[in-house]
C-alpha cells in the first residue's frame, strides 16, 4: 500500500457478540464490491475484509477498535458501508 494513496476509517465494534460468523459473512460480502483490497486492522493484526476466516481470526469482541483501509479512494462508498455495518451492530 502506498502511503497517502488510501482511505482509512476508525470504528468500534458495538454488537454484543462482537464480530462473529454471521456479521463477518455480511461484512465480507459487502467488501467484495470494492475494486481494490480493503483491510481491517486490529492492533498489530491485519485481515482481508473479503475473507470470513481472516475476520474471525481477529477475535474482535464488543468494544474492539478497528481501522478499515481501502487501497483505492474510489472505494470510499464500500468503506463507508462497512463502517456503517460495524457502527450499527450489523442490525442484530
Amino acid at each position: 500500500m502506498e502511503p497517502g494513496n488510501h482511505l482509512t476509517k476508525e470504528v468500534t465494534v458495538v454488537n454484543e457478540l462482537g464480530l462473529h460468523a454471521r456479521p463477518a459473512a455480511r461484512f465480507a460480502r459487502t467488501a467484495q464490491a470494492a475494486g481494490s483490497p480493503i483491510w481491517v486492522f486490529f492492533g498489530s493484526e491485519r485481515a482481508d475484509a473479503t475473507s470470513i476466516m481472516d475476520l474471525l481470526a481477529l477475535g474482535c469482541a464488543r468494544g474492539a477498535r478497528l481501522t478499515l483501509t481501502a487501497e483505492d479512494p474510489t472505494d470510499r462508498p464500500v468503506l463507508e458501508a462497512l463502517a456503517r455495518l460495524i457502527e450499527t451492530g450489523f442490525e442484530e
Side-chain angles (χ1 to χ4, degrees):
M1 214 170 8
E2 294 179 29
N5 194 28
H6 60 274
L7 300 173
T8 62
K9 180 86 172 162
E10 301 283 331
V11 293
T12 301
V13 176
V14 298
N15 60 317
E16 193 69 36
L17 299 174
L19 189 56
H20 60 92
R22 189 173 38 251
R26 188 169 175 195
F27 190 90
R29 277 194 309 273
T30 302
Q32 288 171 358
S36 67
I38 294 186
W39 302 100
V40 179
F41 293 89
F42 178 50
S44 62
E45 300 294 317
R46 178 178 87 161
D48 176 348
T50 64
S51 170
I52 296 168
M53 294 306 292
D54 275 11
L55 294 168
L56 292 175
L58 292 176
C60 299
R62 182 178 190 187
R65 294 280 303 151
L66 306 177
T67 301
L68 309 179
T69 302
E71 290 189 10
D72 185 339
T74 63
D75 288 322
R76 179 181 301 277
V78 177
L79 190 71
E80 295 295 332
L82 293 170
R84 269 192 310 279
L85 281 174
I86 292 173
E87 292 169 341
T88 61
F90 298 89
E91 301 170 356
E92 290 192 325

